[in-house]
Amino acid sequence: MNTLWQDLRYGVRVLAKNPGFTVVAVLALALGIGANTAIFSIVNAMLLRPLPYTDPERLVVLWETNPNLANVYLRTHNEASPANFLDWQQQQTVFADIAAFRWNDYNLTGSDAPEQLTGNPMTANMFDVLKVKPLIGRTFQPQDADPKSDRVVVLSYGLWQRRFGGNQNVLGQTITLNGNPTTVVGVMPADFEFPAAFSELWTPLRFATDTPPSRGSHFLYTRARLKPGATIQQAQAEMETIAARLRGQYPDTNADRSIHVVGLHESTVEFAKTGLLSLLGAVGFVLLIACANVANLMLARSSARHKEIAIRTALGASRWRIVRQLLTESVLLSLLGGAGGVLLALWGLDLLLASVPKEFSLMLHGWNQIRLDRWVLTFTIAVSILTGLLFGLAPALQASKTDLNEALKEGGRASVGHARRRFRGALVVLEVALALVLLIGAGLMLKSFMRLMEVRPGFDPHNVLTAQLSLPSTRYAKPEQVVNFYQQLVARVAAQPGVESVGVINYLPMAGSGGTNSFIIEGRPAPKQGDYPEANFRIASPNYFQTMRIPVIKGRVFTDFDKSDSLRVALINETMAREFFPNEEPVGKILRDPAGQNPTQIVGVVGDIKHFGLDDAPEPYLYVPHTQAAESSMMLVLRSASEPASLTAAVRREVAALDRDQPLNNIKNMEQRIAETSTPARLTSFLMGVFAALALVLASVGIYGVIAYSVAQRTHEIGIRMALGAERRDILALVVRQGMTLVIIGLGFGLVASFVLMRWLASKLFQVSATDPVTFTAVSVLLALVALIACYIPARRATKVDPMIALRYE
């Protein structure tokens, strides 16, 4: 311990005597370690942190599978129908219990201004499946699910604080949700975010007792807890057996359907996993480049200390003692770099968190938990120590190989052995290869993002304001009441100055939700049971297509004459016309529901739109008029002549004039919604670009440092060459060739590595190949040009060597 303390004190003195070296090394390490700390804090919060439940590894998600769906993801991630869910509960033996929930909007009315909240009706056993306790009060009891019992609600901590001031007297208080008196029975802890951070309340999910549960409507999300000792594989096998049994019993609705069991943690992180691991790999490359830079600095500095090391060796210091002293200095450097990295990470995280829209961040699991906690700091300390050992070990071993006779000769020049030169060259090759991989990854992501931004959504998003309304069934129980409200609202808003057009639709593009319906085509052979074609189903008002400027390809759009007592009509999009009516005229064709009821005539074809994001693949869409399929929850869209946000107050005023208890929620312009859907691609591209730029700077500095040091070491040789008649251009070419040879070798290794590693990014790219030749070529040329400049500066300095001075060198 005493010798270690001596090494530490001596190391501090050595670093303090060389402030230039220390500052450069610490800065390089701070950039690498800081980037790793920032990204690891995100990975820790979103991927590694255990879910906040008891025994979370036993929690699983059950999805229905449907191979007939167009969307590849939904084929294995389909919601359950109520009847199927109840059958699963009764027939399974591998789970302690299965629970279900759905999404719902709630209008909270009362003494304060009306407010629309997002929450979840859930089966009464959900809290027991999750094994979570309320902060105050209680959760649901089995009798709460009885449709005849009094309505109860459990509040989120955030809603309790914001709306009720954190008053514990809220327990037992009656509030009005969707027009129904509801008793508050509990409040959940602040860290309870289920199923997402924006869920603000929970109510019991109640199944009607007077009618059988639906088997054809799929809207339930399930959670289950494995029994002690049971595995996911056993659960998968049993649920497949149950699915096969249900296929035989209910061929009309369950044909081709099965069940997919996946761990809750895996299901929660699957969307973010690839992107975050890619970023973690990128910052790992940045750190390796920083390590290579500092290792080169340490090698250069060890040459200047060869006499000191020789004297210590002559006085009896063992090679291990020398290595330990040098490693102590490198670890001190890396710990200083780690301290600087923590400061950079704090600053970088603040910028990153502020750059992500709040609405989008609420959808990301663990985003609210991103911080530099003890696990992140432990990671930073461990990385700092390992980094110090990584970049310090090789220079320490090289420096400890000392020729005492040569080193102690007075006036003798410090020589650099071939092994040391080869090692420094290898470090440059490594830096160039790693930088090239990062630059190619960033180039592919940037090109992908640019391609994404060039996509037209199928409508005109400029000057369009959107807002959500959900009418409570207690006040709007009849379809005609719902239709009348929205017709009046559209008319009143359309009359406002500056409003060009107004419409409503149940699922707005870029709003993150949607639904599908099955159908059959009249006059064609009936499909086999359960194999009915499906299309995305939308309910819209007549002016919706005009407001969104969705082109009408043929036929007509809805009119005020399309009423509930007239012929049912529908519009289809181009993709549906192409898939289901090839070489036919779709206008005039009749669609029916799978039971052969509700004949609906196609009256027009409209253009395709991007619904969930700009990277959406074309899918069939079926639109029906709101007057013939009344829906209480709708999105209002209005097009204005100028800035649409200025009309928000007028829209609120018109809504209040029709119903003072009706809140207006989720108010955004259409361009903002499109920007939010592209946030992951924008964020990943930006971060990859930042890390690639860091890698480029560090690599160019590393190349410059090696060539500059080489020029300094070869001053005597250069002087001799010039004295023997070498021209300045010959010296310039000699030095540049030395550096560019290493660069070209590094580019070769980097291209090979990129061809292998870029396939990891393939799933994140849009209309760009993971081996895009243009990107590979352009990035290689860019890096080569930067490296050429880094080689040229010290090479030009070499041409200015005075032969007379060089020949007297040392």
Side-chain angles (χ1 to χ4, degrees):
M1 184 59 69
N2 288 334
T3 56
L4 178 60
W5 180 243
Q6 290 174 358
D7 288 345
L8 288 172
R9 286 187 299 172
Y10 183 74
V12 170
R13 289 199 302 269
V14 169
L15 295 180
K17 288 180 180 179
N18 298 272
F21 163 80
T22 303
V23 169
V24 172
V26 168
L27 181 59
L29 292 171
L31 290 172
I33 296 174
N36 275 268
T37 299
I39 297 303
F40 179 78
S41 65
I42 300 175
V43 171
N44 179 58
M46 299 182 66
L47 297 186
L48 304 180
R49 191 189 302 273
L51 297 175
Y53 312 119
T54 302
D55 300 327
E57 69 281 356
R58 287 168 49 197
L59 290 172
V60 300
V61 180
L62 307 181
W63 295 104
E64 285 199 25
T65 65
N66 184 356
N68 301 315
L69 294 179
N71 187 293
V72 176
Y73 176 78
L74 293 179
R75 290 175 188 171
T76 56
H77 294 74
N78 212 229
E79 294 87 358
S81 68
N84 286 345
F85 165 72
L86 293 175
D87 283 337
W88 297 352
Q89 272 192 324
Q90 294 170 3
Q91 299 180 30
Q92 66 84 23
T93 61
V94 74
F95 299 115
D97 208 349
I98 306 178
F101 69 92
R102 62 177 301 180
W103 290 97
N104 196 35
D105 293 320
Y106 298 84
N107 289 346
L108 175 61
T109 55
S111 58
D112 295 333
E115 181 180 3
Q116 188 177 86
L117 306 171
T118 299
N120 306 95
M122 56 171 59
T123 53
N125 64 336
M126 178 63 79
F127 292 108
D128 293 331
V129 168
L130 298 176
K131 288 193 175 181
V132 291
K133 301 295 183 182
L135 178 66
I136 59 172
R138 66 171 178 87
T139 54
F140 301 139
Q141 298 173 349
Q143 59 268 27
D144 293 327
D146 187 343
K148 298 179 181 179
S149 65
D150 294 335
R151 296 176 182 270
V152 297
V153 62
V154 173
L155 307 178
S156 70
Y157 182 87
L159 178 61
W160 177 51
Q161 293 289 324
R162 177 173 57 81
R163 185 81 182 202
F164 303 96
N167 189 346
Q168 296 200 10
N169 292 330
V170 72
L171 295 179
Q173 181 178 331
T174 299
I175 61 176
T176 303
L177 292 177
N178 291 342
N180 297 305
T182 308
T183 303
V184 177
V185 296
V187 175
M188 297 306 293
D191 61 350
F192 181 74
E193 298 177 350
F194 178 85
F198 53 85
S199 293
E200 295 190 280
L201 57 87
W202 301 271
T203 58
L205 179 63
R206 300 176 170 188
F207 296 107
T209 56
D210 53 345
T211 58
S214 169
R215 200 173 293 275
S217 298
H218 300 263
F219 55 84
L220 291 181
Y221 300 84
T222 63
R223 300 290 184 266
R225 179 173 288 275
L226 291 166
K227 288 182 177 179
T231 65
I232 290 182
Q233 292 74 22
Q234 291 172 335
Q236 180 67 57
E238 180 175 82
M239 297 310 293
E240 287 178 356
T241 301
I242 294 175
R245 189 181 304 139
L246 295 178
R247 285 196 297 271
Q249 293 176 339
Y250 309 101
D252 289 350
T253 56
N254 285 49
D256 297 330
R257 287 189 177 270
S258 188
I259 302 170
H260 175 49
V261 183
V262 60
L264 178 57
H265 187 270
E266 178 184 347
S267 177
T268 303
V269 306
E270 62 180 325
F271 282 114
K273 187 174 183 179
T274 301
L276 288 177
L277 292 181
S278 299
L279 291 175
L280 192 61
V283 293
F285 279 18
V286 171
L287 182 58
L288 286 175
I289 294 173
C291 286
N293 260 347
V294 179
N296 263 324
L297 287 174
M298 297 285 286
L299 281 171
R301 185 164 164 272
S302 65
S303 298
R305 298 176 64 185
H306 71 290
K307 284 191 175 180
E308 171 203 335
I309 294 173
I311 292 172
R312 290 168 64 91
T313 303
L315 292 176
S318 66
R319 187 183 182 191
W320 161 242
R321 188 70 178 80
I322 299 296
V323 169
R324 193 180 74 178
Q325 175 62 54
L326 296 177
L327 283 179
T328 301
E329 295 174 21
S330 64
V331 170
L332 278 173
L333 267 181
S334 63
L335 289 175
L336 290 173
V342 169
L343 296 178
L344 290 177
L346 284 170
W347 175 71
L349 280 177
D350 287 342
L351 287 180
L352 180 61
L353 296 177
S355 67
V356 176
K358 182 180 179 182
E359 293 81 0
F360 181 80
S361 68
L362 291 175
M363 294 187 291
L364 300 176
H365 162 73
W367 188 264
N368 293 333
Q369 304 299 321
I370 296 175
R371 60 179 63 90
L372 297 186
D373 59 15
R374 59 190 179 93
W375 295 110
V376 176
L377 293 177
T378 300
F379 167 83
T380 303
I381 294 172
V383 166
S384 299
I385 294 174
L386 289 174
T387 298
L389 297 175
L390 179 64
F391 73 74
L393 183 59
L397 292 174
Q398 291 281 348
S400 64
K401 293 179 180 178
T402 303
D403 186 340
L404 293 180
N405 291 327
E406 181 66 27
L408 293 176
K409 285 180 182 178
E410 186 168 354
R413 282 194 314 272
S415 61
V416 181
H418 292 293
R420 187 172 299 186
R421 283 199 294 270
R422 285 197 301 270
F423 183 71
R424 298 196 68 189
L427 289 176
V428 172
V429 169
L430 175 65
E431 288 187 65
V432 173
L434 293 175
L436 182 65
V437 173
L438 266 183
L439 285 166
I440 288 176
L444 291 174
M445 294 298 296
L446 180 60
K447 188 172 184 178
S448 172
F449 179 69
M450 292 174 65
R451 290 274 178 89
L452 186 66
M453 291 296 98
E454 292 171 356
V455 173
R456 295 183 177 181
F459 54 85
D460 182 4
H462 302 97
N463 292 337
V464 174
L465 183 70
T466 68
Q468 185 175 12
L469 297 102
S470 295
L471 304 181
S473 58
T474 52
R475 182 172 296 186
Y476 301 89
K478 299 179 180 180
E480 54 267 27
Q481 292 176 308
V482 174
V483 171
N484 183 57
F485 175 89
Y486 283 112
Q487 285 180 329
Q488 290 186 66
L489 179 61
V490 167
R492 296 175 73 110
V493 173
Q496 296 297 312
V499 176
E500 294 183 354
S501 182
V502 184
V504 293
I505 190 168
N506 62 334
Y507 294 121
L508 184 71
M510 308 295 171
S513 57
T516 61
N517 262 22
S518 301
F519 61 89
I520 58 176
I521 302 173
E522 189 176 85
R524 294 187 183 178
K528 67 178 184 179
Q529 291 181 330
D531 196 19
Y532 302 111
E534 287 189 345
N536 292 282
F537 184 70
R538 303 291 181 265
I539 301 170
S541 67
N543 287 339
Y544 169 74
F545 301 95
Q546 174 189 343
T547 304
M548 295 290 284
R549 293 181 181 171
I550 298 174
V552 180
I553 308 302
K554 60 177 62 177
R556 67 172 177 87
V557 293
F558 305 138
T559 69
D560 292 333
F561 296 102
D562 298 318
K563 299 181 179 180
S564 58
D565 56 354
S566 62
L567 174 68
R568 299 172 70 92
V569 296
L571 297 172
I572 63 174
N573 70 336
E574 289 180 280
T575 296
M576 184 166 176
R578 186 168 51 252
E579 288 189 11
F580 295 102
F581 303 97
N583 304 317
E584 292 184 74
E585 174 56 62
V587 176
K589 290 291 192 293
I590 302 296
L591 305 178
R592 295 179 179 270
D593 62 30
Q597 305 299 314
N598 300 318
T600 303
Q601 185 180 53
I602 299 174
V603 297
V605 179
V606 297
D608 290 340
I609 62 155
K610 303 290 185 180
H611 186 81
F612 290 102
L614 295 175
D615 57 349
D616 256 7
E619 292 187 3
Y621 276 79
L622 176 67
Y623 301 88
V624 300
H626 185 246
T627 50
Q628 295 182 347
E631 176 69 40
S632 61
S633 181
M634 301 290 281
M635 297 290 294
L636 178 77
V637 293
L638 70 85
R639 180 173 294 279
S640 66
S642 57
E643 173 55 44
S646 61
L647 293 168
T648 302
V651 175
R652 287 189 186 277
R653 186 169 59 250
E654 295 304 329
V655 171
L658 290 173
D659 186 344
R660 64 183 182 85
D661 288 332
Q662 179 59 46
L664 194 66
N665 189 49
N666 201 10
I667 304 170
K668 297 178 185 176
N669 62 57
M670 204 66 222
E671 291 173 301
Q672 182 182 355
R673 292 189 184 277
I674 293 178
E676 286 179 0
T677 65
S678 61
T679 295
R682 178 184 293 106
L683 193 60
T684 304
S685 300
F686 172 75
L687 291 176
M688 286 288 288
V690 169
F691 300 145
L694 278 177
L696 182 61
V697 171
L698 290 172
S700 59
V701 169
I703 295 168
Y704 169 83
V706 167
I707 301 303
Y709 180 74
S710 175
V711 168
Q713 290 292 314
R714 299 174 68 182
T715 300
H716 189 70
E717 173 196 340
I718 292 172
I720 294 175
R721 288 176 180 272
M722 295 182 72
L724 294 175
E727 299 289 338
R728 292 182 181 273
R729 64 174 177 273
D730 298 325
I731 300 300
L732 185 69
L734 174 69
V735 177
V736 170
R737 184 166 58 249
Q738 175 194 353
M740 290 307 294
T741 299
L742 297 176
V743 170
I744 291 172
I745 295 173
L747 290 176
F749 282 114
L751 285 173
V752 173
S754 296
F755 273 107
V756 175
L757 295 177
M758 288 308 112
R759 301 182 188 280
W760 176 264
L761 283 180
S763 63
K764 292 292 181 181
L765 301 178
F766 177 74
Q767 295 183 356
V768 176
S769 168
T771 56
D772 179 52
V774 175
T775 302
F776 273 61
T777 302
V779 168
S780 299
V781 171
L782 171 65
L783 183 53
L785 288 175
V786 172
L788 181 61
I789 295 172
C791 292
Y792 175 79
I793 295 173
R796 192 168 183 273
R797 187 179 303 152
T799 64
K800 297 179 180 181
V801 170
D802 187 331
M804 296 301 295
I805 296 176
L807 292 175
R808 293 199 303 267
Y809 182 64
E810 293 189 358

